[in-house]
Amino acid sequence: MAGQLIVGLDVSSRARAEEIVALLGDTVDFYKIGYQCFYGADGFSLGKALLAAGKKVFFDLKLLDIDNTVEKGVAAIAETGATMLTVHAYPQCMRAAVRGAAGSDLCILGVSVLTSMDDADVAEAGFARDTAGLVALRAQQARDAGIGGLVSSPHEAEMVRTIIGPRMAIVTPGIRLPGAAAGDQKRVMGPGEALAEGATHLVVARPIIEAADPAAAARAILADMNSGTRLA
Ligand code: C5P
């Protein structure tokens, strides 16, 4: 397979998170722990338990603070053996995160512009560029900072790939099989198509964790990843 599937454990109960991991069994070996699980379901401890059980863990904590704080926080995450960690893609923050992760296998991912923000939101926040311009700038800065990859909308993956080159990871949420409920995601894309656009890792939460049979839902997404299907 060209890419890896990461299941977002977007739940507020540790028991439910463990139940999902058990239901997915060997079908899934990579989990994302974001705000909801980290703060609401003892997610730091859960992540360490998953790592001890041989799973890969992506802590989606979107860090942003002064350099010293970012560097020390990232170093603490790196010590757990986690696979991925997000920081906001501000140049100073990315450079501090690279220092914090030095000597470990932790892949630092930059969040360029949140996919919930459109041009009006970016302007309201005080940026002089439009969303696409800001994503492009942040992609260049991520490459120059030496981080491991970027989180990107699948619709921006091709453009980001041309800027960052072939080696960095591109992690895309907003993935849905044809006909699946999009939820609050405004612009979705199929798994195979996202990989064809340059993504290396796909994050999927609700279509798997809310499915009646999560393992079957994960297998359907893996099959589409392997087939390289493009949506019409
Ligand atoms: O349920 P769904 O598959 O839409 O979940 C996508 C996951 O990716 C969620 O954990 C969400 O927080 C995360 N994410 C996102 N858009 C971003 C960054 C992260 O949907 N730009």
Side-chain angles (χ1 to χ4, degrees):
M1 186 197 306
Q4 292 188 53
L5 173 64
I6 305 174
V7 172
L9 284 175
D10 293 339
V11 295
S12 303
S13 136
R14 171 131 183 198
R16 177 62 186 148
E18 287 173 345
E19 186 183 11
I20 291 166
V21 171
L23 286 168
L24 290 172
D26 292 337
T27 307
V28 172
D29 71 350
F30 206 158
Y31 290 96
K32 181 174 90 74
I33 294 178
Y35 286 1
Q36 184 181 357
C37 182
F38 194 86
Y39 295 113
D42 200 12
F44 196 32
S45 155
L46 171 66
K48 287 188 270 193
L50 290 173
L51 289 163
K55 302 291 186 186
K56 288 182 275 193
V57 172
F58 166 10
F59 285 114
D60 185 15
L61 301 180
K62 297 185 176 72
L63 302 182
L64 177 62
D65 209 314
I66 61 169
D67 293 6
N68 180 61
T69 303
V70 170
E71 184 176 336
K72 302 283 167 47
V74 169
I77 298 283
E79 267 181 34
T80 67
T83 309
M84 289 177 160
L85 170 70
T86 42
V87 303
H88 282 284
Y90 287 75
Q92 273 184 304
C93 181
M94 292 191 284
R95 290 192 290 267
V98 167
R99 290 194 296 276
S104 78
D105 292 330
L106 180 63
C107 176
I108 301 296
L109 298 174
V111 178
S112 54
V113 180
L114 294 168
T115 48
S116 55
M117 295 179 80
D118 60 18
D119 288 343
D121 298 316
V122 167
E124 186 187 18
F127 294 103
R129 296 171 189 245
D130 64 9
T131 309
L134 195 52
V135 169
L137 175 67
R138 293 280 168 80
Q140 285 168 26
Q141 291 169 333
R143 180 197 61 204
D144 295 345
I147 65 169
L150 282 162
V151 179
S152 154
S153 157
H155 295 273
E156 291 159 356
E158 194 171 21
M159 181 267 283
V160 168
R161 179 59 74 203
T162 62
I163 295 171
I164 63 176
R167 282 190 302 280
M168 288 169 67
I170 296 180
V171 180
T172 56
I175 301 297
R176 294 292 183 271
L177 285 172
D184 60 352
Q185 298 284 11
K186 289 180 184 154
R187 294 186 306 144
V188 298
M189 194 181 278
E193 188 182 15
L195 295 178
E197 293 292 314
T200 55
H201 299 74
L202 309 186
V203 174
V204 183
R206 286 165 292 183
I208 292 176
I209 67 174
E210 292 180 0
D213 183 344
R219 282 194 296 272
I221 287 168
L222 288 164
D224 195 272
M225 290 169 73
N226 279 317
S227 74
T229 312
R230 279 183 166 268
L231 294 181

